[in-house]
Amino acid sequence: MAADSVSGTGAERLASLADERVDHRFKGLPPDADGLTVGELAAQRRNLFSGGFTTPVLALSAERLDHNLRLMETYSVRHGLAFAPHGKTSMAPQLFQRQIEHGAWGITLAVPHQVRVARAFGVQRVFLANEVVDAAALKWVSAQLAADPEFRFVCYVDSVRGVELMDSALRGAVRPVDVVVELAAGEGARTGVRTEEECSAVADAVGGVDTLRLVGVAGYEGEVPDADSERVRGWLRRLVSLAVDFDKDGRFEGLDQVVVSAGGSAWFDAVADVFAGIPELSVPVLKLLRSGAYVSHDDGHYRKITPFNRVPEEGALQPAFRLWAQVVSRPSAEQAFVNAGKRDAAYDLDLPEVQVVRSGADAGAGERSADGIAVTGLSDQHAWIRTAEGVELQVGDWVGMGLSHPCTSFDKWELIPVVEQDGTVVDYIRTYF
């Protein structure tokens, strides 16, 4: 079910990322690389530690990134799932393309700006996990659909009022916008229609206009209140039943495919289990998984709750980010400060985790254990470090930290070095937030 690639224009724009000039806009990159193109700098294969990079600098492991891409491709195929990873995690067109090359049906996004980025780089299938009621954005989507017959776009609807606003903005459209009714994860959850009766009312509203086309149902199980395995599976069974009932009512007549979609990065094992039991409908079902945090994984939130912890025979994702900072102050035997803070590290769920220490930036410097070293807080440009008695840590040492929550790690870095295990930088990932 995967798209083979991005469009021709998108491929050209992806290639052109190598022509962007390195300068002051990009944190952590070597000052003596100013004026080089990204491609020229990558071709130099500099070492992250001795090649002139400045701290703080975020590194993405080449080997672990590749492992994670392959693992989720294998998982999706094994469970008969189409895959549209949530691109708002990275907002990196190079990673969009690699995900598509690894079998992704398309890319999931959250707001119209993100869709514009994806389209600029040729993504041909977009699932927008949100209701769109912005008239300017809807007119742009409509123009994209009219200009490119191969472009597939699907978004949520979760209210009759939303349908009315969408219809008003889309009058005269060449192609209808495909929509799925979003079933809320429960009372007090985030967006979505709260009851099946209300879902039918929204579906009726869609059926009453010619600017929209109902193509399925969707939602996000990660918002289930007090989520556990049974509650999540119970909500997923409601979602499946809603699709079955809509099909029995003839709401999918004329389609060649029905979309049933869910899946964050915490419960995709439950999605696979319940979606495996979707009965035969009047037309084939696209079982669309949307997990996105897997691409870099993390050393905090998702490491604790990944479904692969519950089903270890499926494999294991690997944390691919490491943030390197330098000790700039050691005011006491129990305290140190490094030069990375809230502007550099995710902190909305868990603090960074100190993993290794290097004695300076020498390429040959060995890494030693960070036992007894912990981050206790973040200021704008400093991490507060607590050290146990007897721990060796000096001003000038490099500290390597694992990060929690990739969704708020990528957004702090516009150009991220991709680093092989020996420290060789082989590529740079451009982000657009």
Side-chain angles (χ1 to χ4, degrees), residues 62-398:
E63 295 88 356
R64 292 184 171 203
L65 173 62
D66 185 66
H67 168 85
N68 293 341
L69 288 165
R70 293 180 184 278
L71 182 63
M72 284 303 289
E73 177 184 20
T74 300
Y75 182 87
S76 300
V77 171
R78 181 185 301 130
H79 291 280
L81 299 168
F83 190 36
H86 216 315
K88 59 91 178 173
T89 299
S90 69
M91 284 308 297
Q94 292 149 290
L95 295 184
F96 295 171
Q97 173 63 4
R98 291 194 65 179
Q99 289 169 312
I100 290 168
E101 289 171 351
H102 280 276
W105 171 92
I107 300 296
T108 296
L109 296 162
V111 293
H113 156 71
Q114 295 170 356
V115 183
R116 291 188 64 195
V117 172
R119 288 297 289 160
F121 288 90
V123 175
Q124 290 292 82
R125 293 174 181 162
V126 170
F127 186 102
L128 181 63
N130 221 338
E131 183 169 72
V132 183
V133 293
D134 184 305
L138 287 164
K139 291 179 187 299
W140 176 84
V141 168
S142 180
Q144 291 285 302
L145 290 168
D148 184 355
E150 300 301 315
F151 178 40
R152 179 82 193 275
F153 176 85
V154 181
C155 71
Y156 283 174
V157 287
D158 85 340
S159 65
V160 172
R161 171 64 173 163
V163 171
E164 293 170 349
L165 290 171
M166 294 177 79
D167 176 58
S168 177
L170 292 167
R171 298 278 171 81
V174 173
R175 291 170 59 189
V177 169
D178 287 348
V179 295
V180 289
V181 172
E182 181 194 6
L183 177 66
E187 288 299 325
R190 202 160 58 190
T191 56
V193 187
R194 265 36 185 179
T195 69
E196 280 74 2
E197 292 75 18
E198 291 172 299
C199 285
S200 292
V202 173
D204 285 341
V206 173
V209 301
D210 59 10
T211 54
L212 304 175
R213 183 175 70 154
L214 181 66
V215 298
V217 298
Y220 174 47
E221 76 290 343
E223 283 291 310
V224 170
D226 302 316
D228 60 23
S229 181
E230 281 310 305
R231 288 188 179 93
V232 167
R233 282 173 168 79
W235 177 82
L236 287 164
R237 287 190 286 270
R238 282 183 62 201
L239 184 69
V240 170
S241 294
L242 183 64
V244 171
D245 290 344
F246 277 9
D247 189 52
K248 288 178 179 176
D249 293 340
R251 297 187 188 278
F252 301 137
E253 186 176 350
L255 299 181
D256 56 11
Q257 187 181 68
V258 171
V259 177
V260 180
S261 180
S265 293
W267 294 101
F268 57 74
D269 56 332
V271 174
D273 289 347
V274 175
F275 279 15
I278 294 178
E280 185 174 341
L281 301 185
S282 60
V283 291
V285 177
L286 182 73
K287 304 173 184 179
L288 194 61
L289 180 68
R290 305 194 308 272
S291 309
Y294 83 96
V295 67
S296 63
H297 197 43
D298 76 351
D299 277 295
H301 179 70
Y302 286 113
R303 181 185 64 186
K304 300 169 188 173
I305 63 172
T306 174
F308 290 130
N309 289 345
R310 296 188 290 270
V311 195
E313 60 269 23
E314 295 275 16
L317 294 167
Q318 298 176 355
F321 271 142
R322 180 165 283 173
L323 176 64
W324 289 96
Q326 202 165 15
V327 179
V328 293
S329 181
R330 189 77 159 102
S332 72
E334 298 81 28
Q335 194 174 37
F337 292 87
V338 300
N339 61 344
K342 292 179 180 179
R343 301 291 182 259
D344 314 296
Y347 60 91
D348 56 324
L349 294 178
D350 296 300
L351 291 171
E353 175 186 277
V354 182
Q355 297 173 331
V356 294
V357 178
R358 296 176 61 92
S359 296
D362 187 336
E367 294 179 356
R368 63 180 185 270
S369 169
D371 288 350
I373 304 174
V375 175
T376 60
L378 293 177
S379 298
D380 283 353
Q381 300 293 172
H382 292 98
W384 295 59
I385 303 289
R386 184 185 66 246
T387 57
E389 184 178 354
V391 166
E392 178 188 356
L393 190 66
Q394 301 181 50
V395 170
D397 285 351
W398 284 45

Side-chain angles (χ1 to χ4, degrees), residues 17 38 60 65 90-95 98 410 413-418 427-431:
L17 290 176
V38 172
L60 185 61
L65 173 62
S90 69
M91 284 308 297
Q94 292 149 290
L95 295 184
R98 291 194 65 179
F410 279 99
W413 297 84
E414 292 185 32
L415 198 60
I416 303 172
V418 179
D427 200 2
Y428 296 84
I429 299 296
R430 185 71 157 94
T431 65

